[in-house]
Amino acid sequence: MIPFDYHRATSVADAVTAVAERPDAVFLAGGTNLVDHMKLGILEPSLVVDVGHLPLTDIEQLPDGALRVGADVRNSDLAAHPVVRSRYPVLARALLSAASGQLRNLATTAGNLLQRTRCVYFQDVTTPCNKRTPGEGCSAIGGYVRYHAILGASEHCVAVHPSDMAVAMAALDAQVVFVDAEGEHRLPLTEFHRLPGDRPDRDTELPPGALITAVEIPAPPDGARSTYRKVRDRASYAFALTSVAAELIVDDGTVTSARIALGGVAHKPWRARRAEEVLTGAPATEDTFRRAADAELVDAQPLPGNEFKVELTRRTIIATLTELSEQR
Ligand SMILES: Cc1cc2nc3c(=O)[nH]c(=O)nc-3n(C[C@H](O)[C@H](O)[C@H](O)COP(=O)(O)OP(=O)(O)OC[C@H]3O[C@@H](n4cnc5c(N)ncnc54)[C@H](O)[C@@H]3O)c2cc1C
Ligand code: SF4
């Protein structure tokens, strides 16, 4: 047991000040990822600042129709919210596809965005890992890569981001709202997570010591249909091998709007802009969906051992778009 101090934050300002004074301090929300990392020896903070009891638990509709989700809203509460169920089915389905009922009852919106990779080498402190210790090397390259990236990886890290919720939020153009010593800021969710490059230790663009306070999701356009499809090794309680969050508007047989993000394939939720470009203005047919998937995956670079993920992702994109185009 490595001793650490515990502070239960009483306000957003108190939380930000507490971590500013101790550079190795961490925030604790539901604890479903952080506490595991402390037990595994991945993290050894000298101070844990509990932000899980702050008044950041509201889900409210803003005057422009956007939905503001507090950082401490539990994943189960978000999935069950009537507005999420009716207007953002892609988000409700992504949340419900993740983890287990017990975990979703604890896991928070901010914690979910900031959960770290499930790369087995990252979680095993006896193996070299550039994400844990920069410069140490990457044990996954040449190792077990079934759950690793096929898009946007680097020679320094081939891990993927494990969140389902974040993939839906990337497709929905959500914004992450956070507070640091300088005040409140926001970042589009598509720019929040990073590709690994030569700094795989940095998962996101969140400045050190900043506290996420909310996520804002714009109102979906009229006539939009959305869904989330996740492919995994078990029917439940498993991370995505690949996943597709998609929203389509089909008018008189033509796709007039498409927003798509992929999960389980990259270091960040992968917004599929090339596929969206092919789809917009094209007939809503299987041929179009196939061309869209091909365009997105043209630069896929699988590793020896996860080549199957390219075809799996292609088929999952086509199946998801077909399902949406057939919805009444
Ligand atoms: C067995 C298992 C299976 C799982 N399966 C899935 C799955 O299939 N899909 C999926 O998406 N997820 C899955 N998860 C992950 C789960 O969703 C995350 O562990 C959870 O969302 C993390 O939320 P939390 O509130 O518990 O975060 P914590 O563990 O408390 O914190 C996680 C990180 O977020 C930081 N943090 C928390 N709140 C804030 C804030 N407000 N501002 C700044 N930083 C903050 C913490 O410092 C920490 O770095 C699984 C987890 C387990 C244990
Ligand atoms: S893939 Fe990334 S997280 Fe996994 S061992 Fe390599 S550097 Fe570490």
Side-chain angles (χ1 to χ4, degrees):
M1 174 78 192
I2 295 168
F4 58 88
D5 296 332
Y6 171 88
H7 172 68
R8 183 182 278 211
T10 52
S11 66
V12 168
D14 176 44
V16 171
T17 308
V19 299
E21 286 162 4
R22 295 266 277 275
D24 74 336
V26 291
F27 293 127
L28 169 77
T32 61
N33 198 221
L34 183 80
V35 174
D36 280 356
H37 287 176
M38 289 172 68
K39 288 186 197 160
L40 290 167
I42 297 170
L43 265 181
E44 293 177 357
S46 68
L47 170 65
V48 172
V49 177
D50 189 345
V51 295
H53 302 271
L54 292 176
L56 300 171
T57 52
D58 287 343
I59 303 174
E60 46 178 336
Q61 274 196 284
L62 302 177
D64 66 355
L67 196 68
R68 185 178 167 96
V69 181
D72 281 342
V73 170
R74 307 287 160 170
N75 289 177
S76 329
D77 294 335
L78 188 56
H81 194 275
V83 174
V84 174
R85 287 166 56 103
S86 62
R87 302 185 75 199
Y88 306 96
V90 60
L91 178 57
R93 288 187 185 145
L95 285 158
L96 291 175
S97 76
S100 65
Q102 292 94 330
L103 283 159
R104 294 193 296 267
N105 286 343
L106 268 180
T108 61
T109 305
N112 192 315
L113 289 180
L114 289 171
Q115 63 175 296
R116 306 209 69 195
T117 186
R118 308 303 288 203
C119 171
V120 288
Y121 304 103
F122 173 75
Q123 301 196 90
D124 176 355
V125 294
T126 65
T127 58
C129 167
N130 286 326
K131 189 178 276 299
R132 255 192 354 258
T133 313
E136 221 178 37
C138 171
S139 300
I141 296 174
Y144 177 74
V145 290
R146 184 170 175 77
Y147 282 88
H148 288 67
I150 56 169
L151 291 165
S154 76
E155 62 186 303
H156 302 283
C157 179
V158 293
V160 300
H161 196 271
S163 170
D164 293 293
M165 181 197 79
V167 180
M169 288 182 171
L172 292 169
D173 291 309
Q175 299 254 329
V176 183
V177 185
F178 60 92
V179 169
D180 63 13
E182 269 85 57
E184 186 177 279
H185 312 269
R186 50 190 62 224
L187 259 180
L189 198 126
T190 49
E191 293 166 27
F192 181 76
H193 297 94
R194 298 179 67 254
L195 288 178
D198 60 2
R199 289 298 307 273
D201 53 312
R202 291 183 55 212
D203 290 349
T204 71
E205 300 291 353
L206 190 69
L211 181 79
I212 297 177
T213 50
V215 173
E216 287 181 8
I217 312 170
D222 287 344
R225 308 160 189 173
S226 71
T227 197
Y228 185 74
R229 187 178 281 233
K230 173 174 176 178
V231 182
R232 46 192 155 170
D233 281 328
R234 282 192 304 256
S236 81
Y237 207 31
F239 289 90
L241 284 164
T242 191
S243 69
V244 178
E247 181 203 74
L248 274 192
I249 302 181
V250 180
D251 189 9
D252 208 13
T254 300
V255 178
T256 58
S257 163
R259 297 194 289 181
I260 301 171
L262 309 178
V265 292
H267 197 258
K268 60 184 285 186
W270 186 266
R271 185 70 184 256
R273 305 265 184 207
R274 289 180 180 172
E276 292 173 5
E277 230 170 85
V278 171
L279 288 164
T280 309
T285 60
E286 191 179 320
D287 178 56
T288 301
F289 303 154
R290 186 173 307 282
R291 284 192 298 109
D294 288 347
E296 197 56 53
L297 295 168
V298 73
D299 290 335
Q301 285 191 311
L303 300 154
N306 74 3
E307 298 91 342
F308 74 98
K309 288 181 76 167
V310 180
E311 183 59 19
L312 187 65
T313 304
R314 178 179 288 114
R315 290 182 190 201
T316 310
I317 295 172
I318 297 168
T320 311
L321 295 174
T322 304
E323 178 192 332
L324 278 179
S325 69
E326 288 170 353
Q327 265 181 26
R328 303 256 158 242

